[in-house]
Amino acid sequence: MAVEGSHEEHVIINGTLLRGVSNTSFEQNVEEQPVSMVGKEFAGKTTTGPTQVTASIDKYLLNNDFVTTLTGLTDISGQFEYGDNLLDFSQAVINGYAVSTAVGSLPEISFDLSIYGSLSGSDNTSIRSLASDESAVENVSQSGLIVTFDKNQTNAVQSFNFSEAFNVLPTYGLGQKTPADISIVGPIVQEASISIEVEDYEVEETFSFLSGSKDRSRNIELKISGDNGVLNTFSLQNGCLASESIVSAAGDTTTAQLTYRGYRT
């Protein structure tokens, strides 16, 4: 169910009103399977697991963005408001987010919020007036995107995308509809795709991964800056080059497209 139309849409998470929301959609997964009996191929259905609702939200990445501070939390709550319709939710967790930004544009962030607790219409009581506001948003200046490799090689870039994915594990007690516990397990998978001018880039050795003596691991810091300094910083840890390509067209600047993948705990 996508939330769209002429009605005003508001999302409040942990007491903060999100600004710059462009789209909100919901997906519900019901886990069930058919039951067979002797002499009857279909004898009904049985539920094999709790129903899970995922809210996908797209919004502008604001200065010192609030969404990324929610990663790792397993008890997120809040309210969706669409016109006169209100939905309260609880026991939610962010299972992934992606940031995209380019010179001269407004940076954006999209994230998935998995709701394991309740999701229900409230008693026509909006909490929007009690919520605090996120900060403002700025266009990215010509020199506003900076990537630093291992804290010594700094480059201005044309654009970059950065994402993190979390392995969320809910644990249920016998007969429970909501989790007794929610944990994030294993390493967090990170990925950064960077577009950089070739003159600022040194091509890596193609088959360096075959050499056990060559350390391919890199720590990469990606910064978005505005008129008043650094707005947001993202760090990719223990990253290795996953792919690279050179793009060149007549009359255009030749750029390298780099993708790094890393893991953090």
Side-chain angles (χ1 to χ4, degrees):
M1 176 180 65
V3 178
E4 52 188 24
S6 58
H7 291 291
E8 254 192 304
E9 172 192 349
H10 301 283
V11 180
I12 299 96
I13 295 180
N14 278 10
T16 297
L17 174 64
L18 301 189
R19 292 294 186 186
V21 174
S22 58
N23 184 69
T24 304
S25 61
F26 296 89
E27 181 180 350
Q28 179 174 276
N29 293 316
V30 179
E31 297 188 28
E32 61 181 20
Q33 64 182 21
V35 175
S36 299
M37 297 179 63
V38 177
K40 188 182 277 189
E41 292 186 359
F42 177 73
K45 296 177 293 183
T46 182
T47 302
T48 59
T51 299
Q52 178 185 323
V53 177
T54 300
S56 298
I57 301 172
D58 303 326
K59 65 184 290 292
Y60 291 121
L61 180 76
L62 307 186
N63 307 347
N64 301 311
D65 195 74
F66 169 71
V67 171
T68 53
T69 67
L70 299 171
T71 58
L73 301 181
T74 58
D75 57 351
I76 298 172
S77 62
Q79 186 178 80
F80 298 102
E81 180 178 334
Y82 176 60
D84 295 328
N85 301 304
L86 303 172
L87 279 176
D88 292 330
F89 68 90
S90 64
Q91 211 172 3
V93 59
I94 290 179
N95 56 28
Y97 73 88
V99 171
S100 60
T101 183
V103 168
S105 67
L106 293 172
E108 298 178 342
I109 184 171
S110 59
F111 64 99
D112 290 336
L113 188 70
S114 291
I115 302 170
Y116 294 95
S118 63
L119 178 67
S120 60
S122 65
D123 299 327
N124 296 320
T125 304
S126 171
I127 64 174
R128 177 159 45 101
S129 61
L130 304 176
S132 58
D133 277 349
E134 279 194 290
S135 56
V137 61
E138 295 182 26
N139 277 309
V140 179
S141 63
Q142 190 63 37
S143 58
L145 299 182
I146 300 295
V147 175
T148 302
F149 294 92
D150 293 320
K151 299 187 181 299
N152 54 22
Q153 180 187 350
T154 300
N155 303 94
V157 300
Q158 303 302 305
S159 66
F160 72 72
N161 298 326
F162 178 83
S163 65
E164 287 192 327
F166 306 89
N167 185 17
V168 180
L169 180 64
T171 303
Y172 293 86
L174 186 63
Q176 289 184 328
K177 295 182 179 180
T178 59
D181 180 69
I182 301 175
S183 57
I184 297 175
V185 298
I188 297 166
V189 181
Q190 301 178 302
E191 190 165 289
S193 298
I194 303 165
S195 175
I196 185 172
E197 292 186 11
V198 166
E199 61 184 24
D200 293 327
Y201 169 62
E202 180 180 343
V203 179
E204 294 197 21
E205 186 180 342
T206 306
F207 292 102
S208 61
F209 67 93
L210 295 176
S211 173
S213 62
K214 184 175 178 63
D215 184 9
R216 299 175 59 242
S217 183
R218 285 188 170 189
N219 294 319
I220 303 173
E221 194 170 71
L222 305 103
K223 294 182 178 180
I224 303 174
S225 298
D227 295 334
N228 298 314
V230 176
L231 306 176
N232 286 282
T233 301
F234 304 94
S235 298
L236 184 141
Q237 301 174 16
N238 306 308
C240 292
L241 184 67
S243 67
E244 64 180 324
S245 61
I246 305 295
V247 179
S248 180
D252 289 338
T253 302
T254 302
T255 59
Q257 308 292 331
L258 314 173
T259 299
Y260 290 88
R261 189 171 297 116
Y263 304 89
R264 72 174 179 87
T265 56

